[in-house]
Each structure stands twice: as structure tokens, then as C-alpha cells.
Amino acid sequence: MAPTYAIPEPTSTGEMAFSAPGLAGTTWYRVTGELGAGPPPLVVLHGGPGAAHDYCLSMANLAGVGEGRAVVHYDQIGCGRSSHHPDADPAVWKPELFVAELQQLVEHLGIAEDFHLLGQSWGGMLAPEYVLAHPAGVRSLTICDSPASMELWLQAANLLRAELPEEVQQTLTRYEASGDYDDPAYLAAMQVFYDAHVCRVVPNPPEVAATFAQIEAEPTVYHTMNGPTEFHVVGSMKDWTIVDRLPAISVPTLVVSGAHDEAMPLVWQPFLDAIRGSRSHVFPASSHMPHVEEHEAFLEVVGGFLAEHDGQAGA
């Protein structure tokens, strides 16, 4: 099934100089719509880490929901059109770096005091980290297809792997034991999981394929923080959790996922349990990318949530 949506052209693009301890470079961004006109803008945080923004581009259509909302996409440093740092100390790649980058970006764009925040996958882990560090300017938080801890993420991954055909499971296990993640047999077995639980639109739309190609071309951040695949997490984020800190979040929060998502309900239930007033929506025909797989429904649900909280300041 091919997607029926079109991706709007950006109204503007730009680069911001970014610096943090141990790293300096540039952050690329694009804006759909006019900042400073209409409702508070939406900032979209892509996944990975290191997956680049392209696969989230259909969310730019949220600029057409409501009256003139601007939507900001950007490539987190280390991937996509932002500066690449394959020789950086691996210790610099941590959530605090990306929280600092987002804060510098919203200040650069002049929206730090009033914006909506949406994160997809890793972006939905980064977004609550940002809210905890800088709560005042965030009107609402949308967490898409994201875990509250990597321990829960791996529990879900193991449950889903156990449902794969036996020969696929054996292939994955054999090549993970040897570390030969580039072998065609491993990649083919990996794709079985991805087609079921990451994006069920096969072949993937061009913007989704572009993100996967970008990870392959520049895997530094993804491999350092996550690991070689979505379900074999051996990177620096493997012990990450935000569960115990969630009660401190008080901004209006929506959690969404797909019924076939690798982000099973067990991974995002802590958001609902701990963030007062939070609510959820599950898209029945989607896996990890409802914004692609059920695009119109995604716009309706998320766009409605944003409009509902346009008049409410954050924490």
C-alpha cells in the first residue's frame, strides 16, 4: 500500500551553530509555516538516535491542521544534514547533549517560551527529558511509539522476536552471537521484523527509506547509543530509564502507538501511570510509524490534541 499524502515544501531552512562540552558543530532545521503567526508552533524530535528527520516529514502536514501552525523539523547533531562527528568521543553521545541542542534551537528560533513538543521513538524519550529540564515553555507533550525505559523496550522486543518464524529467530541469534550484522542473511531476517513492527507500508515510502539509508551511511550515533538494530540494543542507552522521574512532568501529555508497534503497551504504560492527566491512542492498522501508516487519522488525533492545548501554557 502506497501512502496517499504529499509532503509540503519547507517555508524556510537554516543552520544553527551548536556547541556543548566535547562537541561543536551545526544543527540543520526546516520550518513549515510561519513562526510567530498562528497557534504555537510544533517542534518534532526524530528517532534513532541518529535516524534523521526525513521519515517524520509527513508530520509537516500538521501545519495544515488548525490556523497556520508552524512545524519545525531538525536533524539532531551527528546525523542527516547536521554536522557529522564520527571521531567524537563516544561519551559525548548522551541525552543531555540533545537536550542542550534542542534548548539552543528553540532559543535560536525565538520560540523557547511557547511551543508544543512531539517526539517519535527515541524522540519520545528525549522529549520528556527536555520537559524535565526546561518545563516552562512547553504547552503540550506528544510521545509517539516510545518506551519509558530500555529495559521495557527489550522486554517487548524479545516478546515480538519470539513470534517470528523459527528460522528467522535462529538467524538473528546466530549472527548476533558472531557480531556479523552486515551479513545479507542477518539483514534479511532483520527486515522480517521491521516489515511487521517498524513500518508496514512496504516498500517503505521514499522519506522513510531515506532515513534508513542515512543510518547506514552514518551509523555513529545510532550504533553508539542504541546498537546495530531496533531489537538488539547494546549501546550506551541500554540502561536508560525515565520511569522514576515521570511524576515531575505536569504538561498535558498524549501517548500514541500502533497496534503492531515494536513499542508495545508495556513500554509506554509508565507514561500514563505517572503523568497526571495523560491519555493514549492506539492506531489499529499501524506499527511503529502511525504518522505514515495511518496518516489522516494521525493528523486528526494529534492535531486535535495540539488545538485543545493551544490556549494552555506548560508547566
Side-chain angles (χ1 to χ4, degrees), residues 59 118-124 142-147 254-257 261 263 288 290-291 298 302:
M59 295 185 193
L118 180 154
Q120 198 280 333
S121 197
W122 145 252
T142 302
I143 297 171
C144 302
D145 324 285
S146 307
L254 171 67
V255 180
V256 305
S257 73
D261 206 327
H288 197 52
H291 60 282
F298 181 88
V302 175

Side-chain angles (χ1 to χ4, degrees), residues 9-10 152 207:
E9 291 297 320
L152 294 172
E207 76 278 10

Side-chain angles (χ1 to χ4, degrees), residues 234-302:
V234 292
S236 61
M237 288 290 289
K238 67 181 183 298
D239 297 321
W240 175 87
T241 181
I242 202 170
V243 172
D244 293 342
R245 294 176 284 150
L246 290 174
I249 295 177
S250 58
V251 300
T253 299
L254 171 67
V255 180
V256 305
S257 73
H260 308 281
D261 206 327
E262 57 183 336
M264 297 173 69
L266 70 92
V267 313
W268 44 261
Q269 186 62 42
F271 295 122
L272 301 181
D273 292 341
I275 301 176
R276 182 169 51 86
S278 59
R279 64 183 193 253
S280 65
H281 183 90
V282 176
F283 294 93
S286 294
S287 59
H288 197 52
M289 299 186 188
H291 60 282
V292 171
E293 297 159 295
E294 293 181 73
H295 180 65
E296 292 301 325
F298 181 88
L299 294 184
E300 181 179 355
V301 170
V302 175

Side-chain angles (χ1 to χ4, degrees), residues 121-139:
S121 197
W122 145 252
M125 300 155 68
L126 175 60
E129 290 276 11
Y130 179 86
V131 170
L132 288 169
H134 304 283
V138 179
R139 282 196 179 237

Side-chain angles (χ1 to χ4, degrees), residues 18 30 46 95 107 175 184 304:
F18 170 69
R30 60 168 271 164
H46 66 69
E107 290 177 350
Y175 285 98

Side-chain angles (χ1 to χ4, degrees), residues 39-42 110-116 136-139 309-310 312-314:
L42 171 68
I111 61 174
E113 300 304 316
D114 193 9
F115 66 100
H116 297 280
V138 179
R139 282 196 179 237
H309 297 289
D310 278 336
Q312 299 183 18

